[in-house]
Amino acid sequence: MYDHLTLLSGRAHPQLAGEIAEYLGIRLASVELSNFPDGEISLKLNQNVRGRDVFIVQPTSPPVNDNLMELLILMDACRRASAERITAVIPYFGYARQDRKDSGRVPITSKLVANLINEAGADRVLAMDLHAAQIQGFFDTPVDHLYAAPILDRYFRSLNIPDKDLVVVSPDEGSIKRTLQHNNNIGGTLAIVDKRRKNAIETQQANIIGGPIEGKVALLFDDMISTGGSIVGAVNVVKEHGAKEIYVGASHAVFCGPAIKLLSEAPIKEIVVTNSLPIPDQDKLSNLRTISIAPLLGEAIRRIHRNESVSHLFD
């Protein structure tokens, strides 16, 4: 079935790539990766990829610049080694926050990075939960966009929380569409945290729209947890409005800056994330649960390789 499929990984998340290889029943291709004394990346493919359908697993996670550059170099090496098709498998796509010009004299970095990936040799891109869906249109090649929501929803349904005791909460107005989908799949009532920006670096969260919250189990969802400020602010508001228990679900555990401190001090019963990014041991909170996306990515890779529908994964 996989005579012409080659799966390889950079150094960003080899554990996830290994789980995908195990799902597919194949071995990861051998790649030598190191750094020159000045920090430049040195790379050599130890396996013939001529005429192969190559999938490169590399989230652009912190250190973002190093991992992005490594992805570009991996694709260039495969292109120059005459790979038939190259698919960049990017479980977490960095540089996604600046996806439009919201003020003068600013870049659109997500478009720039899409151009770099295309120019380096990507024939397709496989991504998960892009920060903004329109980023798919920044690529000049096909993009298969996966969602972690079904995986997260399956876990929360397994908790068997009675529908009458459950409220699904959007941490801000921008996450309403995502939260509605979770609400439709899990059940319960819907509430929204009213978040208002005080200035360029501060936001204020005080009010709840919808509900009720008091005495209920609250589920809060976001696409990523970066510094933790927004989600912890929403959690505190929900707690102040009388939530009995609070769970948080997110696709990407970026966990930078004060995130670990804020999350450890917040009244959260459980934080449920995927393994789209590696989580260092020092960042593994006692109430953190990680769910693997390897079967989802592995099945998508299998379908792309066999020219089958990827959208059927979500039917």
Side-chain angles (χ1 to χ4, degrees), residues 58 85 92 100 107 110 117 136 150-151 167 197 199-200 202 231 254-255 257 262 269-270 275 301:
Q58 180 83 339
R85 182 173 67 174
Y92 170 74
R100 64 196 183 281
S110 48
I117 290 170
Q136 297 173 71
I151 298 172
V167 58
R197 185 164 293 281
N199 53 49
E202 290 183 280
I231 196 70
V254 182
F255 290 175
L262 290 175
K269 181 167 184 178
E270 195 168 44
N275 63 339
I301 288 170

Side-chain angles (χ1 to χ4, degrees), residues 78-279:
C78 291
R79 182 182 63 174
R80 295 177 187 278
S82 302
E84 181 179 336
R85 182 173 67 174
I86 300 170
T87 301
V89 182
I90 312 174
Y92 170 74
F93 182 80
Y95 280 110
R97 292 178 182 86
Q98 288 186 292
D99 60 345
R100 64 196 183 281
K101 288 195 70 171
D102 53 1
S103 63
R105 298 176 297 281
V106 298
I108 303 178
T109 51
S110 48
K111 172 59 176 170
L112 170 63
V113 170
N115 287 344
L116 291 170
I117 290 170
N118 285 148
E119 191 63 29
D123 297 297
R124 297 188 72 91
V125 171
L126 176 60
M128 192 185 82
D129 281 315
L130 293 167
H131 188 60
Q134 65 264 25
I135 291 173
Q136 297 173 71
F138 294 172
F139 290 90
D140 296 326
T141 52
V143 176
D144 291 297
H145 190 202
L146 305 180
Y147 300 93
I151 298 172
L152 296 173
D153 292 347
R154 191 180 308 127
Y155 171 75
F156 284 113
R157 283 198 302 269
S158 73
L159 299 179
N160 296 317
I161 302 168
D163 198 64
K164 63 181 178 62
D165 296 334
L166 182 64
V167 58
V168 181
V169 184
S170 176
D172 53 51
E173 292 87 342
S175 301
I176 292 174
K177 185 176 179 181
R178 180 186 306 109
T179 305
L180 273 170
Q181 293 173 336
H182 288 293
N183 182 221
N184 291 334
N185 292 332
I186 300 173
T189 56
L190 178 70
I192 303 161
V193 176
D194 179 20
K195 182 173 82 171
R196 304 188 183 187
R197 185 164 293 281
K198 296 172 65 177
N199 53 49
I201 58 174
E202 290 183 280
T203 58
Q204 183 177 16
Q205 296 146 305
N207 303 313
I208 295 284
I209 303 168
I213 299 287
E214 189 171 358
K216 301 232 178 179
V217 177
L219 308 183
L220 282 78
F221 292 96
D222 214 342
D223 64 326
M224 71 171 75
I225 300 175
S226 184
T227 61
S230 292
I231 196 70
V232 169
V235 164
N236 289 333
V237 172
V238 170
K239 187 65 176 178
E240 288 167 8
H241 280 74
K244 180 173 62 174
E245 292 178 344
I246 302 173
Y247 292 82
V248 168
S251 301
H252 308 299
V254 182
F255 290 175
C256 58
I260 297 303
K261 182 177 185 297
L262 290 175
L263 292 168
S264 64
E265 295 173 352
I268 304 172
K269 181 167 184 178
E270 195 168 44
I271 304 165
V272 184
V273 298
T274 77
N275 63 339
S276 62
L277 296 93
I279 302 175

